[in-house]
């Protein structure tokens, strides 16, 4: 939980600025608050298999419940524990965000009114690393989205999306290959290279 949330925090602020700057960002950032609740819940799920952590569960689960309910009521952000969200996740806005039954790689970003989840048969999408997903986008079903892809605002994905492309429309259409989304991801180059090095090792 700690390393994943540290990566989330790194997308929002420069952690080298000190603890006070981190506290300010966390207090003002709806997405970070929702992510903290989600990371806590996923950690608690894993803790159930380690008997030495069982004493923490009666305290941890009520805290998770309160934090996740707050994120839903105050910000309408639902990050369900059935989703496997990689580190460095960034939520660009709030309102009608639904993420469930999917796998999302490291350093991805989403906007408001975004729905990512499984189809009626329970199969959800697999999203690569450094994928930018715009507001009002819909990714529902067992689709694969390659790393470094960009899913534009309002796009409805109804098939696989290759890596490194820009897609737009309903249904999604590939409009540009070799599209560089680093600027809209707000992802520092050193973070990007570290993720690539970790994947290669």
């Amino acid at each position: 939980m700690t390393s994943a949330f540290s990566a989330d925090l790194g997308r929002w602020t420069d952690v080298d600025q000190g603890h006070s700057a981190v506290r300010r960002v966390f207090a003002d950032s709806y997405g970070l608050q929702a992510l903290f609740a989600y990371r806590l819940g996923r950690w608690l799920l894993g803790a159930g298999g380690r008997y030495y952590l069982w004493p923490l569960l009666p305290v941890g689960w009520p805290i998770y419940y309160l934090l996740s309910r707050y994120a839903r009521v105050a910000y309408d952000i639902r990050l369900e524990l059935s989703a496997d969200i990689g580190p460095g996740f960034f939520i660009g806005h709030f309102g009608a965000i639904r993420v469930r039954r999917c796998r999302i790689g490291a350093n991805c970003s989403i906007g408001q009114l975004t729905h990512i989840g499984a189809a009626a048969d329970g199969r959800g999408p697999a999203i690569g690393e450094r994928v930018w997903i715009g507001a009002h986008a819909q990714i529902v079903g067992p689709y694969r989205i390659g790393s470094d892809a960009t899913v534009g605002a309002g796009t409805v994905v109804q098939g696989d999306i290759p890596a490194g492309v820009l897609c737009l429309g309903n249904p999604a259409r590939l409009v540009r290959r070799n599209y560089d989304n680093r600027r809209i991801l707000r992802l520092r180059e050193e973070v990007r290279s570290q993720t690539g090095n970790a994947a290669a090792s």
Side-chain angles (χ1 to χ4, degrees):
M1 172 187 168
T2 304
S3 60
F5 188 69
S6 295
D8 299 333
L9 187 60
R11 293 289 305 281
W12 293 78
T13 185
D14 186 352
V15 294
D16 295 333
Q17 292 176 353
H19 295 295
S20 61
V22 171
R23 284 196 299 269
R24 280 197 307 274
V25 169
F26 183 76
D28 296 337
S29 302
Y30 33 80
L32 268 180
Q33 295 170 29
L35 274 168
F36 180 78
Y38 165 82
R39 299 291 183 204
L40 174 61
R42 293 282 290 189
W43 182 84
L44 290 167
L45 286 177
R50 290 173 282 179
Y51 69 89
Y52 54 90
L53 294 176
W54 289 355
L56 300 177
L57 300 183
V59 176
W61 279 116
I63 293 173
Y64 161 75
Y65 176 79
L66 291 174
L67 292 175
S68 61
R69 289 296 298 173
Y70 176 78
R72 292 184 182 193
V73 172
Y75 308 129
D76 199 11
I77 299 175
R78 297 171 182 255
L79 305 178
E80 297 191 9
L81 299 184
S82 61
D84 181 6
I85 301 174
F89 196 57
F90 184 88
I91 300 172
H93 213 284
F94 62 90
I97 293 173
R98 307 286 184 270
V99 181
R100 64 183 184 88
R101 290 187 178 273
C102 62
R103 181 165 51 83
I104 300 177
N107 297 316
C108 292
S109 295
I110 62 171
Q112 73 271 27
L113 293 160
T114 301
H115 184 191
I116 303 173
D121 61 4
R123 295 185 299 157
I127 299 171
E129 297 184 352
R130 301 173 303 275
V131 175
W132 189 86
I133 301 168
H136 298 257
Q138 305 289 314
I139 308 172
V140 180
Y143 307 123
R144 300 185 67 84
I145 299 179
S147 295
D148 303 301
T150 301
V151 179
T155 297
V156 178
V157 173
Q158 297 182 354
D160 293 348
I161 304 295
V165 303
L166 168 65
C167 62
L168 300 169
N170 179 10
R173 294 182 298 276
L174 193 159
V175 297
R176 187 180 299 177
R177 295 186 183 275
N178 300 318
Y179 183 76
D180 187 351
N181 64 3
R182 282 175 294 182
R183 183 167 296 178
I184 58 175
L185 273 175
R186 295 175 57 180
L187 181 63
R188 295 195 300 269
E189 188 65 36
E190 60 268 24
V191 176
R192 188 185 182 102
S193 63
Q194 287 171 8
T195 304
N197 294 338
S201 59

